[in-house]
């Protein structure tokens, strides 16, 4: 083949044009850049997607589980409203209803005489009235009550 250059061709080619049979350096650089950019954007997307779960991690267990489920639903369905709901739920501190209700339940058990064996003190001596029939263990004694 002749090495003659066509008269209308430019004499100096840009650096990104490679000679036949040579490796394309610009193509290789762009491929590496695109792979790294895709991984970086994927990592950013998943970290942004898990933001509500990270924020709700220190909250109540039920609130954390709701936020996690909403985040998972938004990831699977691609509906952003679930992610927004999870973010709002993670930002709001829900009041603690279980502690006061548990305290009320413990107080009612104490009033009714149904105290747990773990919190009840152990009897010191046997009952002097051993001749009386024993009361069932699950019912409290009625002595001294009006």
């Amino acid at each position: 083949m002749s090495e003659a250059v066509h008269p209308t061709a430019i004499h100096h080619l840009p650096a990104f044009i490679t000679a036949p049979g040579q490796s394309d350096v610009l193509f290789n650089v762009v491929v590496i850049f695109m792979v790294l950019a895709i991984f970086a954007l994927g990592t950013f997307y998943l970290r942004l997607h898990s933001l509500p779960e990270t924020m709700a991690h220190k909250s109540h267990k039920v609130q954390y589980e709701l936020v996690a489920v909403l985040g998972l639903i938004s990831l699977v369905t691609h509906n952003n409203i679930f992610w927004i709901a999870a973010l709002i739920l993670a930002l709001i501190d829900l009041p603690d209803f279980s502690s006061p209700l548990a305290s009320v339940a413990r107080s009612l058990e104490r009033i009714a005489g149904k105290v747990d064996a773990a919190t009840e003190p152990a009897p010191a001596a046997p009952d002097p009235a051993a001749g009386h029939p024993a009361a069932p263990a699950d019912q409290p004694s009625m002595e001294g009550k009006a």
Side-chain angles (χ1 to χ4, degrees):
M1 195 183 246
S2 70
E3 295 291 325
V5 178
H6 193 273
T8 58
I10 57 174
H11 296 288
H12 175 65
L13 295 177
F16 59 85
I17 296 179
T18 59
Q22 300 293 323
S23 64
D24 193 357
V25 177
L26 181 63
F27 175 74
N28 293 336
V29 168
V30 169
V31 165
I32 292 171
F33 175 77
M34 288 304 295
V35 167
L36 292 176
I38 288 170
F39 278 119
L41 283 174
T43 303
F44 175 72
Y45 174 74
L46 290 176
R47 193 166 299 257
L48 180 66
H49 180 77
S50 67
L51 179 67
E53 288 180 54
T54 306
M55 293 171 64
H57 185 69
K58 295 181 180 101
S59 66
H60 305 291
K61 183 178 188 278
V62 175
Q63 183 179 3
Y64 176 71
E65 288 175 354
L66 283 173
V67 169
V69 167
L70 284 172
L72 187 62
I73 290 172
S74 72
L75 181 66
V76 173
T77 62
H78 300 291
N79 289 332
N80 293 336
I81 191 70
F82 293 117
W83 187 84
I84 293 170
L87 185 64
I88 290 172
L89 186 60
L91 288 172
I92 296 173
D93 284 333
L94 294 179
D96 184 19
F97 291 115
S98 63
S99 295
L101 290 177
S103 175
V104 168
R106 280 192 308 270
S107 298
L108 287 175
E109 284 178 355
R110 220 175 309 131
I111 290 171
K114 295 182 179 181
V115 181
D116 293 348
T119 59
E120 187 176 310
D127 231 2
H132 294 142
D138 59 345
Q139 292 183 357
S141 173
M142 297 303 289
E143 295 175 3
K145 293 193 178 180

